[in-house]
Amino acid sequence: MFDDLKSSDVLRGSLAEFFATGLFVFVGAGTVVASGIASGGELDAARLVAISLGHGLAVAALVFAVSHISGGHLNPAVTFAAVLAGEVHPLKGAAFIAAQLTGAVLAGLLLLYVAPDGMQGNLGSHGLGAGVSVGMGFTVEFVLTFLLVFVVFAVAMDRRGPNAFAPLAIGLAVVIVHLAAVPLTGGSVNPARSLGPAVASGTWADHWIYWAAPLAAAALAALVYNAVFARRVNDAEAPA
């Protein structure tokens, strides 16, 4: 793990996370804005699918692009889980999270600049849907972040997994998350994705949920995967 702390590696990885997370936030939140313009602001089935695909395809493409540089986290919750699992050194993880959040905020401000006046809405900021309580929203974000981080561990961090197809599997997980959660919570599972548009639009209602639930779920997913499913040294040495 300490081999990953070369300053050049940390810098390259942090820059990859900065650009990839910023591009993800710009495309993801931009899909919300663009689909709102096309649909007149109503969240119908077609718009839900468009938003889900916009986020999922962006994640898949960007993880493919930077996974060999930084691991392709694009999400402070994923990085947090990787640190807890011992996959990433804490100092490197802190640099990645700082880069992710900075990229997300700049992407939100860029989207504010390019979105036409009167058609910006809340720039794709996350908030609870009608009739969704704080407890319900927290639960949705917790369960779906657990799903996402579990998939990341299984296909990307576990060396027995289908690593070559990891970006596709992660992208599909993000599509599933949004199909299930957009009408309820907006479908964050990513504090950076929530932070960027919130800063740009000033939308902060129940914002804490989009940090607390993903980070808690990521920690649990890392613990469960490592305790139950990860191959230990003795397992690896045992005859098949």
Side-chain angles (χ1 to χ4, degrees), residues 203-240:
T203 304
W204 296 104
D206 300 310
H207 184 77
W208 67 271
I209 291 173
Y210 302 102
W211 287 80
L215 292 176
L220 181 61
L223 175 65
V224 168
Y225 196 90
N226 270 5
V228 179
F229 301 105
R231 175 174 287 184
R232 297 165 182 80
V233 173
N234 290 339
D235 296 334
E237 293 175 347

PDB file of all heavy atoms in Angstrom, residues 203-240:
ATOM      1  N   THR A 203     -29.066  24.809  -3.300  1.00  0.00           N
ATOM      2  CA  THR A 203     -30.101  23.876  -2.850  1.00  0.00           C
ATOM      3  C   THR A 203     -29.520  22.971  -1.761  1.00  0.00           C
ATOM      4  O   THR A 203     -28.734  22.070  -2.055  1.00  0.00           O
ATOM      5  CB  THR A 203     -30.604  23.013  -4.030  1.00  0.00           C
ATOM      6  OG1 THR A 203     -31.057  23.874  -5.079  1.00  0.00           O
ATOM      7  CG2 THR A 203     -31.734  22.106  -3.595  1.00  0.00           C
ATOM      8  N   TRP A 204     -29.928  23.197  -0.510  1.00  0.00           N
ATOM      9  CA  TRP A 204     -29.303  22.481   0.603  1.00  0.00           C
ATOM     10  C   TRP A 204     -30.292  21.695   1.456  1.00  0.00           C
ATOM     11  O   TRP A 204     -29.895  21.124   2.475  1.00  0.00           O
ATOM     12  CB  TRP A 204     -28.558  23.477   1.501  1.00  0.00           C
ATOM     13  CG  TRP A 204     -27.428  24.155   0.799  1.00  0.00           C
ATOM     14  CD1 TRP A 204     -27.404  25.434   0.331  1.00  0.00           C
ATOM     15  CD2 TRP A 204     -26.161  23.589   0.457  1.00  0.00           C
ATOM     16  NE1 TRP A 204     -26.201  25.707  -0.262  1.00  0.00           N
ATOM     17  CE2 TRP A 204     -25.413  24.592  -0.204  1.00  0.00           C
ATOM     18  CE3 TRP A 204     -25.577  22.336   0.653  1.00  0.00           C
ATOM     19  CZ2 TRP A 204     -24.116  24.379  -0.670  1.00  0.00           C
ATOM     20  CZ3 TRP A 204     -24.297  22.117   0.187  1.00  0.00           C
ATOM     21  CH2 TRP A 204     -23.577  23.135  -0.459  1.00  0.00           C
ATOM     22  N   ALA A 205     -31.559  21.632   1.082  1.00  0.00           N
ATOM     23  CA  ALA A 205     -32.549  20.931   1.905  1.00  0.00           C
ATOM     24  C   ALA A 205     -32.169  19.461   2.062  1.00  0.00           C
ATOM     25  O   ALA A 205     -31.953  18.755   1.071  1.00  0.00           O
ATOM     26  CB  ALA A 205     -33.935  21.041   1.265  1.00  0.00           C
ATOM     27  N   ASP A 206     -32.068  19.018   3.308  1.00  0.00           N
ATOM     28  CA  ASP A 206     -31.757  17.615   3.637  1.00  0.00           C
ATOM     29  C   ASP A 206     -30.448  17.135   3.001  1.00  0.00           C
ATOM     30  O   ASP A 206     -30.258  15.934   2.780  1.00  0.00           O
ATOM     31  CB  ASP A 206     -32.901  16.691   3.194  1.00  0.00           C
ATOM     32  CG  ASP A 206     -34.217  17.039   3.867  1.00  0.00           C
ATOM     33  OD1 ASP A 206     -34.237  17.164   5.100  1.00  0.00           O
ATOM     34  OD2 ASP A 206     -35.228  17.204   3.149  1.00  0.00           O
ATOM     35  N   HIS A 207     -29.538  18.068   2.754  1.00  0.00           N
ATOM     36  CA  HIS A 207     -28.296  17.714   2.062  1.00  0.00           C
ATOM     37  C   HIS A 207     -27.464  16.711   2.857  1.00  0.00           C
ATOM     38  O   HIS A 207     -26.745  15.890   2.261  1.00  0.00           O
ATOM     39  CB  HIS A 207     -27.489  18.983   1.780  1.00  0.00           C
ATOM     40  CG  HIS A 207     -26.242  18.749   0.989  1.00  0.00           C
ATOM     41  ND1 HIS A 207     -26.246  18.532  -0.366  1.00  0.00           N
ATOM     42  CD2 HIS A 207     -24.932  18.680   1.378  1.00  0.00           C
ATOM     43  CE1 HIS A 207     -25.003  18.348  -0.792  1.00  0.00           C
ATOM     44  NE2 HIS A 207     -24.195  18.434   0.240  1.00  0.00           N
ATOM     45  N   TRP A 208     -27.577  16.758   4.174  1.00  0.00           N
ATOM     46  CA  TRP A 208     -26.756  15.871   5.004  1.00  0.00           C
ATOM     47  C   TRP A 208     -27.005  14.393   4.690  1.00  0.00           C
ATOM     48  O   TRP A 208     -26.093  13.564   4.844  1.00  0.00           O
ATOM     49  CB  TRP A 208     -27.031  16.138   6.490  1.00  0.00           C
ATOM     50  CG  TRP A 208     -28.418  15.761   6.927  1.00  0.00           C
ATOM     51  CD1 TRP A 208     -29.529  16.541   6.910  1.00  0.00           C
ATOM     52  CD2 TRP A 208     -28.828  14.485   7.451  1.00  0.00           C
ATOM     53  NE1 TRP A 208     -30.620  15.842   7.377  1.00  0.00           N
ATOM     54  CE2 TRP A 208     -30.216  14.587   7.719  1.00  0.00           C
ATOM     55  CE3 TRP A 208     -28.173  13.288   7.716  1.00  0.00           C
ATOM     56  CZ2 TRP A 208     -30.953  13.524   8.238  1.00  0.00           C
ATOM     57  CZ3 TRP A 208     -28.893  12.218   8.223  1.00  0.00           C
ATOM     58  CH2 TRP A 208     -30.273  12.346   8.496  1.00  0.00           C
ATOM     59  N   ILE A 209     -28.227  14.082   4.246  1.00  0.00           N
ATOM     60  CA  ILE A 209     -28.550  12.685   3.929  1.00  0.00           C
ATOM     61  C   ILE A 209     -27.606  12.148   2.862  1.00  0.00           C
ATOM     62  O   ILE A 209     -27.184  10.974   2.912  1.00  0.00           O
ATOM     63  CB  ILE A 209     -30.011  12.573   3.432  1.00  0.00           C
ATOM     64  CG1 ILE A 209     -30.971  12.845   4.584  1.00  0.00           C
ATOM     65  CG2 ILE A 209     -30.285  11.200   2.812  1.00  0.00           C
ATOM     66  CD1 ILE A 209     -32.427  12.916   4.153  1.00  0.00           C
ATOM     67  N   TYR A 210     -27.247  13.011   1.903  1.00  0.00           N
ATOM     68  CA  TYR A 210     -26.457  12.575   0.751  1.00  0.00           C
ATOM     69  C   TYR A 210     -24.971  12.436   1.076  1.00  0.00           C
ATOM     70  O   TYR A 210     -24.172  12.081   0.202  1.00  0.00           O
ATOM     71  CB  TYR A 210     -26.703  13.526  -0.410  1.00  0.00           C
ATOM     72  CG  TYR A 210     -28.182  13.578  -0.750  1.00  0.00           C
ATOM     73  CD1 TYR A 210     -28.979  14.643  -0.350  1.00  0.00           C
ATOM     74  CD2 TYR A 210     -28.776  12.525  -1.433  1.00  0.00           C
ATOM     75  CE1 TYR A 210     -30.336  14.663  -0.633  1.00  0.00           C
ATOM     76  CE2 TYR A 210     -30.127  12.535  -1.720  1.00  0.00           C
ATOM     77  CZ  TYR A 210     -30.907  13.606  -1.316  1.00  0.00           C
ATOM     78  OH  TYR A 210     -32.248  13.602  -1.599  1.00  0.00           O
ATOM     79  N   TRP A 211     -24.630  12.718   2.315  1.00  0.00           N
ATOM     80  CA  TRP A 211     -23.298  12.407   2.835  1.00  0.00           C
ATOM     81  C   TRP A 211     -23.359  11.249   3.829  1.00  0.00           C
ATOM     82  O   TRP A 211     -22.613  10.276   3.702  1.00  0.00           O
ATOM     83  CB  TRP A 211     -22.702  13.640   3.539  1.00  0.00           C
ATOM     84  CG  TRP A 211     -22.273  14.695   2.595  1.00  0.00           C
ATOM     85  CD1 TRP A 211     -23.062  15.629   1.960  1.00  0.00           C
ATOM     86  CD2 TRP A 211     -20.939  14.935   2.146  1.00  0.00           C
ATOM     87  NE1 TRP A 211     -22.304  16.435   1.154  1.00  0.00           N
ATOM     88  CE2 TRP A 211     -20.997  16.036   1.254  1.00  0.00           C
ATOM     89  CE3 TRP A 211     -19.712  14.340   2.412  1.00  0.00           C
ATOM     90  CZ2 TRP A 211     -19.863  16.539   0.621  1.00  0.00           C
ATOM     91  CZ3 TRP A 211     -18.573  14.849   1.789  1.00  0.00           C
ATOM     92  CH2 TRP A 211     -18.662  15.937   0.904  1.00  0.00           C
ATOM     93  N   ALA A 212     -24.258  11.368   4.795  1.00  0.00           N
ATOM     94  CA  ALA A 212     -24.305  10.384   5.874  1.00  0.00           C
ATOM     95  C   ALA A 212     -24.669   8.996   5.374  1.00  0.00           C
ATOM     96  O   ALA A 212     -24.007   8.005   5.728  1.00  0.00           O
ATOM     97  CB  ALA A 212     -25.301  10.839   6.951  1.00  0.00           C
ATOM     98  N   ALA A 213     -25.706   8.889   4.550  1.00  0.00           N
ATOM     99  CA  ALA A 213     -26.148   7.567   4.089  1.00  0.00           C
ATOM    100  C   ALA A 213     -25.112   6.895   3.193  1.00  0.00           C
ATOM    101  O   ALA A 213     -24.769   5.713   3.419  1.00  0.00           O
ATOM    102  CB  ALA A 213     -27.496   7.683   3.381  1.00  0.00           C
ATOM    103  N   PRO A 214     -24.570   7.578   2.173  1.00  0.00           N
ATOM    104  CA  PRO A 214     -23.558   6.905   1.344  1.00  0.00           C
ATOM    105  C   PRO A 214     -22.303   6.498   2.108  1.00  0.00           C
ATOM    106  O   PRO A 214     -21.765   5.400   1.880  1.00  0.00           O
ATOM    107  CB  PRO A 214     -23.243   7.948   0.261  1.00  0.00           C
ATOM    108  CG  PRO A 214     -24.472   8.781   0.168  1.00  0.00           C
ATOM    109  CD  PRO A 214     -24.965   8.872   1.580  1.00  0.00           C
ATOM    110  N   LEU A 215     -21.811   7.351   2.999  1.00  0.00           N
ATOM    111  CA  LEU A 215     -20.581   7.006   3.720  1.00  0.00           C
ATOM    112  C   LEU A 215     -20.817   5.842   4.678  1.00  0.00           C
ATOM    113  O   LEU A 215     -19.982   4.933   4.790  1.00  0.00           O
ATOM    114  CB  LEU A 215     -20.050   8.229   4.461  1.00  0.00           C
ATOM    115  CG  LEU A 215     -19.532   9.362   3.565  1.00  0.00           C
ATOM    116  CD1 LEU A 215     -19.130  10.567   4.415  1.00  0.00           C
ATOM    117  CD2 LEU A 215     -18.363   8.912   2.703  1.00  0.00           C
ATOM    118  N   ALA A 216     -21.963   5.832   5.370  1.00  0.00           N
ATOM    119  CA  ALA A 216     -22.257   4.730   6.276  1.00  0.00           C
ATOM    120  C   ALA A 216     -22.445   3.427   5.501  1.00  0.00           C
ATOM    121  O   ALA A 216     -21.944   2.365   5.903  1.00  0.00           O
ATOM    122  CB  ALA A 216     -23.515   5.050   7.095  1.00  0.00           C
ATOM    123  N   ALA A 217     -23.148   3.493   4.392  1.00  0.00           N
ATOM    124  CA  ALA A 217     -23.374   2.290   3.587  1.00  0.00           C
ATOM    125  C   ALA A 217     -22.078   1.780   2.978  1.00  0.00           C
ATOM    126  O   ALA A 217     -21.854   0.563   2.896  1.00  0.00           O
ATOM    127  CB  ALA A 217     -24.389   2.584   2.488  1.00  0.00           C
ATOM    128  N   ALA A 218     -21.221   2.694   2.538  1.00  0.00           N
ATOM    129  CA  ALA A 218     -19.936   2.291   1.966  1.00  0.00           C
ATOM    130  C   ALA A 218     -19.089   1.565   3.000  1.00  0.00           C
ATOM    131  O   ALA A 218     -18.439   0.555   2.702  1.00  0.00           O
ATOM    132  CB  ALA A 218     -19.196   3.516   1.434  1.00  0.00           C
ATOM    133  N   ALA A 219     -19.086   2.076   4.234  1.00  0.00           N
ATOM    134  CA  ALA A 219     -18.327   1.425   5.298  1.00  0.00           C
ATOM    135  C   ALA A 219     -18.859   0.020   5.553  1.00  0.00           C
ATOM    136  O   ALA A 219     -18.087  -0.941   5.706  1.00  0.00           O
ATOM    137  CB  ALA A 219     -18.395   2.262   6.575  1.00  0.00           C
ATOM    138  N   LEU A 220     -20.188  -0.130   5.595  1.00  0.00           N
ATOM    139  CA  LEU A 220     -20.774  -1.447   5.834  1.00  0.00           C
ATOM    140  C   LEU A 220     -20.477  -2.396   4.675  1.00  0.00           C
ATOM    141  O   LEU A 220     -20.156  -3.577   4.891  1.00  0.00           O
ATOM    142  CB  LEU A 220     -22.281  -1.327   6.041  1.00  0.00           C
ATOM    143  CG  LEU A 220     -23.013  -2.638   6.335  1.00  0.00           C
ATOM    144  CD1 LEU A 220     -22.497  -3.259   7.623  1.00  0.00           C
ATOM    145  CD2 LEU A 220     -24.519  -2.412   6.394  1.00  0.00           C
ATOM    146  N   ALA A 221     -20.570  -1.911   3.452  1.00  0.00           N
ATOM    147  CA  ALA A 221     -20.294  -2.759   2.287  1.00  0.00           C
ATOM    148  C   ALA A 221     -18.856  -3.253   2.300  1.00  0.00           C
ATOM    149  O   ALA A 221     -18.586  -4.434   2.014  1.00  0.00           O
ATOM    150  CB  ALA A 221     -20.581  -1.993   1.000  1.00  0.00           C
ATOM    151  N   ALA A 222     -17.920  -2.376   2.638  1.00  0.00           N
ATOM    152  CA  ALA A 222     -16.513  -2.785   2.717  1.00  0.00           C
ATOM    153  C   ALA A 222     -16.323  -3.840   3.795  1.00  0.00           C
ATOM    154  O   ALA A 222     -15.614  -4.846   3.596  1.00  0.00           O
ATOM    155  CB  ALA A 222     -15.631  -1.571   3.005  1.00  0.00           C
ATOM    156  N   LEU A 223     -16.957  -3.641   4.967  1.00  0.00           N
ATOM    157  CA  LEU A 223     -16.836  -4.581   6.068  1.00  0.00           C
ATOM    158  C   LEU A 223     -17.420  -5.944   5.682  1.00  0.00           C
ATOM    159  O   LEU A 223     -16.787  -6.983   5.892  1.00  0.00           O
ATOM    160  CB  LEU A 223     -17.555  -4.027   7.301  1.00  0.00           C
ATOM    161  CG  LEU A 223     -17.628  -4.956   8.516  1.00  0.00           C
ATOM    162  CD1 LEU A 223     -16.231  -5.226   9.063  1.00  0.00           C
ATOM    163  CD2 LEU A 223     -18.512  -4.346   9.602  1.00  0.00           C
ATOM    164  N   VAL A 224     -18.622  -5.936   5.108  1.00  0.00           N
ATOM    165  CA  VAL A 224     -19.289  -7.187   4.750  1.00  0.00           C
ATOM    166  C   VAL A 224     -18.507  -7.929   3.674  1.00  0.00           C
ATOM    167  O   VAL A 224     -18.275  -9.147   3.781  1.00  0.00           O
ATOM    168  CB  VAL A 224     -20.732  -6.921   4.277  1.00  0.00           C
ATOM    169  CG1 VAL A 224     -21.339  -8.163   3.637  1.00  0.00           C
ATOM    170  CG2 VAL A 224     -21.590  -6.450   5.444  1.00  0.00           C
ATOM    171  N   TYR A 225     -18.080  -7.211   2.641  1.00  0.00           N
ATOM    172  CA  TYR A 225     -17.376  -7.900   1.557  1.00  0.00           C
ATOM    173  C   TYR A 225     -16.069  -8.502   2.053  1.00  0.00           C
ATOM    174  O   TYR A 225     -15.745  -9.664   1.755  1.00  0.00           O
ATOM    175  CB  TYR A 225     -17.114  -6.971   0.376  1.00  0.00           C
ATOM    176  CG  TYR A 225     -16.756  -7.767  -0.860  1.00  0.00           C
ATOM    177  CD1 TYR A 225     -17.746  -8.195  -1.731  1.00  0.00           C
ATOM    178  CD2 TYR A 225     -15.444  -8.139  -1.126  1.00  0.00           C
ATOM    179  CE1 TYR A 225     -17.436  -8.981  -2.836  1.00  0.00           C
ATOM    180  CE2 TYR A 225     -15.134  -8.918  -2.223  1.00  0.00           C
ATOM    181  CZ  TYR A 225     -16.130  -9.332  -3.076  1.00  0.00           C
ATOM    182  OH  TYR A 225     -15.824 -10.121  -4.166  1.00  0.00           O
ATOM    183  N   ASN A 226     -15.308  -7.734   2.829  1.00  0.00           N
ATOM    184  CA  ASN A 226     -14.024  -8.248   3.315  1.00  0.00           C
ATOM    185  C   ASN A 226     -14.202  -9.394   4.305  1.00  0.00           C
ATOM    186  O   ASN A 226     -13.420 -10.347   4.318  1.00  0.00           O
ATOM    187  CB  ASN A 226     -13.223  -7.122   3.968  1.00  0.00           C
ATOM    188  CG  ASN A 226     -12.336  -6.410   2.968  1.00  0.00           C
ATOM    189  OD1 ASN A 226     -12.387  -6.692   1.774  1.00  0.00           O
ATOM    190  ND2 ASN A 226     -11.536  -5.479   3.447  1.00  0.00           N
ATOM    191  N   ALA A 227     -15.254  -9.316   5.130  1.00  0.00           N
ATOM    192  CA  ALA A 227     -15.447 -10.334   6.159  1.00  0.00           C
ATOM    193  C   ALA A 227     -16.018 -11.627   5.599  1.00  0.00           C
ATOM    194  O   ALA A 227     -15.696 -12.719   6.090  1.00  0.00           O
ATOM    195  CB  ALA A 227     -16.369  -9.798   7.252  1.00  0.00           C
ATOM    196  N   VAL A 228     -16.839 -11.522   4.566  1.00  0.00           N
ATOM    197  CA  VAL A 228     -17.595 -12.687   4.106  1.00  0.00           C
ATOM    198  C   VAL A 228     -17.103 -13.232   2.768  1.00  0.00           C
ATOM    199  O   VAL A 228     -17.003 -14.449   2.572  1.00  0.00           O
ATOM    200  CB  VAL A 228     -19.103 -12.357   4.010  1.00  0.00           C
ATOM    201  CG1 VAL A 228     -19.894 -13.562   3.517  1.00  0.00           C
ATOM    202  CG2 VAL A 228     -19.627 -11.870   5.358  1.00  0.00           C
ATOM    203  N   PHE A 229     -16.779 -12.338   1.836  1.00  0.00           N
ATOM    204  CA  PHE A 229     -16.555 -12.775   0.462  1.00  0.00           C
ATOM    205  C   PHE A 229     -15.116 -12.693  -0.021  1.00  0.00           C
ATOM    206  O   PHE A 229     -14.750 -13.364  -0.982  1.00  0.00           O
ATOM    207  CB  PHE A 229     -17.440 -11.964  -0.491  1.00  0.00           C
ATOM    208  CG  PHE A 229     -18.903 -12.104  -0.187  1.00  0.00           C
ATOM    209  CD1 PHE A 229     -19.602 -11.078   0.427  1.00  0.00           C
ATOM    210  CD2 PHE A 229     -19.584 -13.271  -0.501  1.00  0.00           C
ATOM    211  CE1 PHE A 229     -20.946 -11.208   0.718  1.00  0.00           C
ATOM    212  CE2 PHE A 229     -20.927 -13.415  -0.212  1.00  0.00           C
ATOM    213  CZ  PHE A 229     -21.617 -12.379   0.404  1.00  0.00           C
ATOM    214  N   ALA A 230     -14.302 -11.856   0.606  1.00  0.00           N
ATOM    215  CA  ALA A 230     -12.921 -11.717   0.146  1.00  0.00           C
ATOM    216  C   ALA A 230     -12.145 -12.993   0.428  1.00  0.00           C
ATOM    217  O   ALA A 230     -12.336 -13.634   1.474  1.00  0.00           O
ATOM    218  CB  ALA A 230     -12.247 -10.528   0.820  1.00  0.00           C
ATOM    219  N   ARG A 231     -11.283 -13.367  -0.479  1.00  0.00           N
ATOM    220  CA  ARG A 231     -10.468 -14.578  -0.308  1.00  0.00           C
ATOM    221  C   ARG A 231      -9.294 -14.266   0.601  1.00  0.00           C
ATOM    222  O   ARG A 231      -8.525 -13.345   0.357  1.00  0.00           O
ATOM    223  CB  ARG A 231      -9.958 -15.085  -1.660  1.00  0.00           C
ATOM    224  CG  ARG A 231      -9.003 -16.261  -1.542  1.00  0.00           C
ATOM    225  CD  ARG A 231      -8.627 -16.852  -2.872  1.00  0.00           C
ATOM    226  NE  ARG A 231      -9.727 -17.608  -3.439  1.00  0.00           N
ATOM    227  CZ  ARG A 231      -9.627 -18.300  -4.588  1.00  0.00           C
ATOM    228  NH1 ARG A 231      -8.478 -18.310  -5.239  1.00  0.00           N
ATOM    229  NH2 ARG A 231     -10.659 -18.952  -5.053  1.00  0.00           N
ATOM    230  N   ARG A 232      -9.150 -15.044   1.634  1.00  0.00           N
ATOM    231  CA  ARG A 232      -8.033 -14.884   2.551  1.00  0.00           C
ATOM    232  C   ARG A 232      -6.834 -15.700   2.077  1.00  0.00           C
ATOM    233  O   ARG A 232      -6.966 -16.554   1.204  1.00  0.00           O
ATOM    234  CB  ARG A 232      -8.454 -15.311   3.950  1.00  0.00           C
ATOM    235  CG  ARG A 232      -9.572 -14.420   4.517  1.00  0.00           C
ATOM    236  CD  ARG A 232     -10.226 -15.056   5.725  1.00  0.00           C
ATOM    237  NE  ARG A 232     -11.306 -14.209   6.214  1.00  0.00           N
ATOM    238  CZ  ARG A 232     -12.521 -14.180   5.669  1.00  0.00           C
ATOM    239  NH1 ARG A 232     -12.811 -14.940   4.615  1.00  0.00           N
ATOM    240  NH2 ARG A 232     -13.455 -13.391   6.158  1.00  0.00           N
ATOM    241  N   VAL A 233      -5.693 -15.479   2.710  1.00  0.00           N
ATOM    242  CA  VAL A 233      -4.469 -16.176   2.300  1.00  0.00           C
ATOM    243  C   VAL A 233      -4.662 -17.678   2.421  1.00  0.00           C
ATOM    244  O   VAL A 233      -4.327 -18.453   1.525  1.00  0.00           O
ATOM    245  CB  VAL A 233      -3.279 -15.716   3.164  1.00  0.00           C
ATOM    246  CG1 VAL A 233      -2.056 -16.557   2.853  1.00  0.00           C
ATOM    247  CG2 VAL A 233      -2.995 -14.239   2.908  1.00  0.00           C
ATOM    248  N   ASN A 234      -5.249 -18.136   3.508  1.00  0.00           N
ATOM    249  CA  ASN A 234      -5.446 -19.567   3.699  1.00  0.00           C
ATOM    250  C   ASN A 234      -6.385 -20.143   2.648  1.00  0.00           C
ATOM    251  O   ASN A 234      -6.221 -21.258   2.189  1.00  0.00           O
ATOM    252  CB  ASN A 234      -6.015 -19.836   5.097  1.00  0.00           C
ATOM    253  CG  ASN A 234      -4.981 -19.573   6.185  1.00  0.00           C
ATOM    254  OD1 ASN A 234      -3.796 -19.567   5.900  1.00  0.00           O
ATOM    255  ND2 ASN A 234      -5.447 -19.347   7.415  1.00  0.00           N
ATOM    256  N   ASP A 235      -7.415 -19.368   2.287  1.00  0.00           N
ATOM    257  CA  ASP A 235      -8.338 -19.812   1.248  1.00  0.00           C
ATOM    258  C   ASP A 235      -7.603 -19.974  -0.081  1.00  0.00           C
ATOM    259  O   ASP A 235      -7.826 -20.922  -0.834  1.00  0.00           O
ATOM    260  CB  ASP A 235      -9.481 -18.819   1.069  1.00  0.00           C
ATOM    261  CG  ASP A 235     -10.344 -18.719   2.309  1.00  0.00           C
ATOM    262  OD1 ASP A 235     -10.393 -19.697   3.071  1.00  0.00           O
ATOM    263  OD2 ASP A 235     -10.978 -17.664   2.517  1.00  0.00           O
ATOM    264  N   ALA A 236      -6.737 -18.968  -0.374  1.00  0.00           N
ATOM    265  CA  ALA A 236      -6.031 -18.983  -1.659  1.00  0.00           C
ATOM    266  C   ALA A 236      -5.062 -20.162  -1.741  1.00  0.00           C
ATOM    267  O   ALA A 236      -4.819 -20.696  -2.836  1.00  0.00           O
ATOM    268  CB  ALA A 236      -5.266 -17.663  -1.841  1.00  0.00           C
ATOM    269  N   GLU A 237      -4.520 -20.585  -0.580  1.00  0.00           N
ATOM    270  CA  GLU A 237      -3.551 -21.664  -0.599  1.00  0.00           C
ATOM    271  C   GLU A 237      -4.199 -23.048  -0.545  1.00  0.00           C
ATOM    272  O   GLU A 237      -3.552 -24.055  -0.815  1.00  0.00           O
ATOM    273  CB  GLU A 237      -2.600 -21.513   0.598  1.00  0.00           C
ATOM    274  CG  GLU A 237      -1.715 -20.267   0.496  1.00  0.00           C
ATOM    275  CD  GLU A 237      -0.878 -20.078   1.745  1.00  0.00           C
ATOM    276  OE1 GLU A 237      -1.164 -20.761   2.764  1.00  0.00           O
ATOM    277  OE2 GLU A 237       0.054 -19.249   1.707  1.00  0.00           O
ATOM    278  N   ALA A 238      -5.484 -23.082  -0.195  1.00  0.00           N
ATOM    279  CA  ALA A 238      -6.156 -24.368  -0.068  1.00  0.00           C
ATOM    280  C   ALA A 238      -6.367 -24.993  -1.447  1.00  0.00           C
ATOM    281  O   ALA A 238      -6.564 -24.280  -2.438  1.00  0.00           O
ATOM    282  CB  ALA A 238      -7.503 -24.180   0.630  1.00  0.00           C
ATOM    283  N   PRO A 239      -6.322 -26.334  -1.546  1.00  0.00           N
ATOM    284  CA  PRO A 239      -6.544 -26.972  -2.848  1.00  0.00           C
ATOM    285  C   PRO A 239      -7.960 -26.769  -3.315  1.00  0.00           C
ATOM    286  O   PRO A 239      -8.887 -26.694  -2.501  1.00  0.00           O
ATOM    287  CB  PRO A 239      -6.279 -28.466  -2.540  1.00  0.00           C
ATOM    288  CG  PRO A 239      -6.464 -28.606  -1.065  1.00  0.00           C
ATOM    289  CD  PRO A 239      -6.041 -27.298  -0.464  1.00  0.00           C
ATOM    290  N   ALA A 240      -8.140 -26.675  -4.630  1.00  0.00           N
ATOM    291  CA  ALA A 240      -9.473 -26.441  -5.188  1.00  0.00           C
ATOM    292  C   ALA A 240     -10.344 -27.657  -4.986  1.00  0.00           C
ATOM    293  O   ALA A 240      -9.861 -28.783  -4.998  1.00  0.00           O
ATOM    294  CB  ALA A 240      -9.348 -26.112  -6.661  1.00  0.00           C
TER     295      ALA A 240
END
